[in-house]
Amino acid sequence: MSQRPDLRQRRSVLEHEWARWVPRLSVPGARPGGSPSLRHEVTESWARSLGSVDPGRDSAPVADGGAVHQRWTSSPLYGPVTGLAGELCSIAEDAGFVTAVTDESGTILWTCGGPTMRRRAERVNFAPGGRWDEQAMGTNALSLALRTGRPSSVFSAEHLVSALHGWVCYCAPVRAPDGRVLGVLDLSTTWDRSHPLAMSTVRTLVSSVEARLTAGQPRPGRLRISCLGAERAVHAGRRLALRPRQLEILTLLALEPVGFSAERLRAALYGDRPVTSSTVKAEISHLRRALGGGVAPRRYALTVPVACDAVEVLRALEQGDTDGALRHYGGPLLPRSEAPGIEEWRTRLEVAVRAAVLASPRPEHALSYGERAPYDMEIHEHALALLGQRDARRAIAAGRLTAALRD
């Protein structure tokens, strides 16, 4: 059967782009002494993709509003990948790559890499929550690996979407012991950093993940951090004896799961104070001992399952759940802390919760928040505006407003 005219035209466009981008004789698909040839699996994927994907789109669509933390922590890949997070992040940072793990649908659940490459990846939503299946993002290595069940690479203009023509991706599917594909592991970078050993590195990393799946490695003990109006960390059912600085570190790592470089963590904890990086390393070493590991080296990130009241507040707000946000919001973030990173997050949380309360038409939200913010006159006025004249709760709001005005 002959190709439809629109597909022939698209193939011509692809061949033009492919010849423009690919340095001859240096990548797969280049013919010695001639023009680069297109791989059959790539042209087939283009033909399938054109019905659902605009090649001019600038980024991947978002799954579930981008909130995939719960999907990730409940994934069978979570334990094995977090156990290898230190190695994965080191490889990505050293080689100038971004590492990503998806679920079986092609939705990215976890990434790591250096800050420059992560920023570039985030521009095309190569980040947690991004959908990279063929129907959503056309021809790319992740979608090919999921479709074929084999390791795949896609270079430069082989991508259907033009915004990805500056990239090269290498990935392989990760299989459960029963053979099911659970997702893919991907290494991506700019096309000029392509490396002949990248695919073998991906295969090795996937083998390490699958070995942990086969061994049935027990999930590490869960870490619970209470940092809103409280200062407590519990690991595997045991309260940790931590200094305030160490609790600050745990809180920052929970709020920013992609992790911190040593210098950025030092700045978040000490600001401009003359504190050496060895001081931060000593605090991290203490945390590792307390958690039995649990913190990735080099780029500091938690590698144990974690629950944190501040994260739960943010997740509830992302989902428009003001009830849930107020249920978890016990007060300011680590109220005694003067660490710049904590103070920044404290303000962000307070502003976000307060804005949700003021936008809510339900008076109980203003009454609940007003209990924790006795001097916030606008909150008390908002509660009074929402309460009916015969509502007995008006007395509570009026009393709080009067007290705030006096002070």
Side-chain angles (χ1 to χ4, degrees):
M1 180 182 295
S2 62
Q3 287 183 308
R4 298 195 308 271
D6 58 333
L7 295 183
R8 287 201 300 270
Q9 182 181 10
R10 268 293 164 193
R11 181 185 174 94
S12 175
V13 171
L14 174 56
E15 287 173 337
H16 173 76
E17 285 293 294
W18 182 234
R20 183 171 70 87
W21 274 90
V22 179
R24 293 180 184 178
L25 305 179
S26 63
V27 297
R31 294 198 298 262
S35 299
S37 61
L38 294 172
R39 292 183 288 154
H40 183 63
E41 64 179 357
V42 170
T43 56
E44 281 193 333
S45 176
W46 270 61
R48 290 190 301 267
S49 304
L50 284 169
S52 61
V53 179
D54 176 8
R57 70 172 309 145
D58 58 6
S59 62
V62 175
D64 297 339
V68 294
H69 178 77
Q70 189 168 356
R71 284 171 67 173
W72 175 226
T73 56
S74 62
S75 167
L77 296 177
Y78 179 81
V81 170
T82 52
L84 293 167
E87 181 180 354
L88 292 169
C89 292
S90 294
I91 289 171
E93 290 186 35
D94 291 346
F97 279 71
V98 174
T99 302
V101 174
T102 78
D103 63 10
E104 71 281 1
S105 75
T107 298
I108 294 178
L109 300 180
W110 179 85
T111 61
C112 70
T116 300
M117 290 306 299
R118 283 206 325 276
R119 283 195 297 270
R120 289 181 177 178
E122 287 165 359
R123 290 175 196 150
V124 293
N125 199 24
F126 193 79
R131 282 187 54 200
W132 287 78
D133 56 287
E134 194 173 78
Q135 188 173 9
M137 203 54 180
T139 308
N140 64 84
L142 296 85
S143 66
L144 282 180
L146 284 171
R147 185 175 183 88
T148 66
R150 301 190 303 271
S152 298
S153 66
V154 172
F155 183 89
S156 181
E158 286 186 314
H159 291 94
L160 176 75
V161 173
S162 300
L164 305 179
H165 287 184
W167 288 84
V168 58
C169 306
Y170 309 87
C171 75
V174 183
R175 296 183 181 275
D178 62 6
R180 290 180 299 117
V181 172
L182 301 175
V184 299
L185 188 150
D186 175 277
L187 285 176
S188 291
T189 189
T190 51
W191 70 269
D192 54 318
R193 291 175 179 264
S194 62
H195 197 285
L197 295 180
M199 183 57 80
S200 63
T201 301
V202 168
R203 290 173 183 266
T204 300
L205 292 171
V206 166
S207 295
S208 297
V209 173
E210 290 179 339
R212 290 179 174 235
L213 285 165
T214 303
Q217 181 174 337
R219 291 171 67 92
R222 191 172 186 83
L223 173 65
R224 174 76 201 187
I225 304 169
S226 301
C227 52
L228 295 177
E231 299 178 355
R232 183 174 65 255
V234 176
H235 180 239
R238 178 177 60 87
R239 182 164 180 172
L240 300 178
L242 301 177
R243 294 190 293 270
R245 185 67 74 196
Q246 292 154 5
L247 191 58
E248 290 169 347
I249 294 173
L250 282 184
T251 299
L252 288 169
L253 296 183
L255 285 165
E256 301 191 42
V258 296
F260 287 77
S261 66
E263 178 54 32
R264 182 165 173 258
L265 184 58
R266 189 206 64 76
L269 293 171
Y270 300 101
D272 296 331
R273 292 168 54 191
V275 175
T276 64
S277 58
S278 61
T279 301
V280 176
K281 291 179 181 178
E283 300 286 10
I284 293 290
S285 295
H286 183 96
L287 283 176
R288 285 203 187 98
R289 289 194 297 272
L291 296 172
V295 182
R298 304 191 63 177
R299 183 169 188 85
Y300 302 132
L302 290 172
T303 61
V304 295
V306 59
C308 174
D309 50 4
V311 174
E312 287 161 352
V313 168
L314 291 170
R315 191 177 304 137
L317 291 174
E318 288 173 356
Q319 297 170 355
D321 180 10
T322 305
D323 275 334
L326 289 172
R327 186 166 57 252
H328 294 295
Y329 188 73
L333 181 74
L334 296 181
R336 296 186 297 173
S337 173
E338 297 180 355
I342 294 295
E343 289 181 334
E344 179 182 343
W345 271 107
R346 183 188 300 145
T347 300
R348 289 168 64 176
L349 282 159
E350 289 178 347
V351 169
V353 174
R354 185 176 185 274
V357 169
L358 289 173
S360 171
R362 294 172 55 185
E364 52 267 30
H365 290 159
L367 289 169
S368 175
Y369 184 79
E371 186 176 357
R372 302 178 182 88
Y375 304 111
D376 195 327
M377 290 184 288
E378 188 176 2
I379 290 291
H380 306 321
E381 290 170 346
H382 182 58
L384 283 171
L386 295 175
L387 291 164
Q389 292 296 322
R390 297 185 178 181
D391 194 316
R393 294 174 296 175
R394 285 184 64 85
I396 298 173
R400 290 173 178 171
L401 179 58
T402 299
L405 287 168
R406 287 175 180 167
D407 293 332

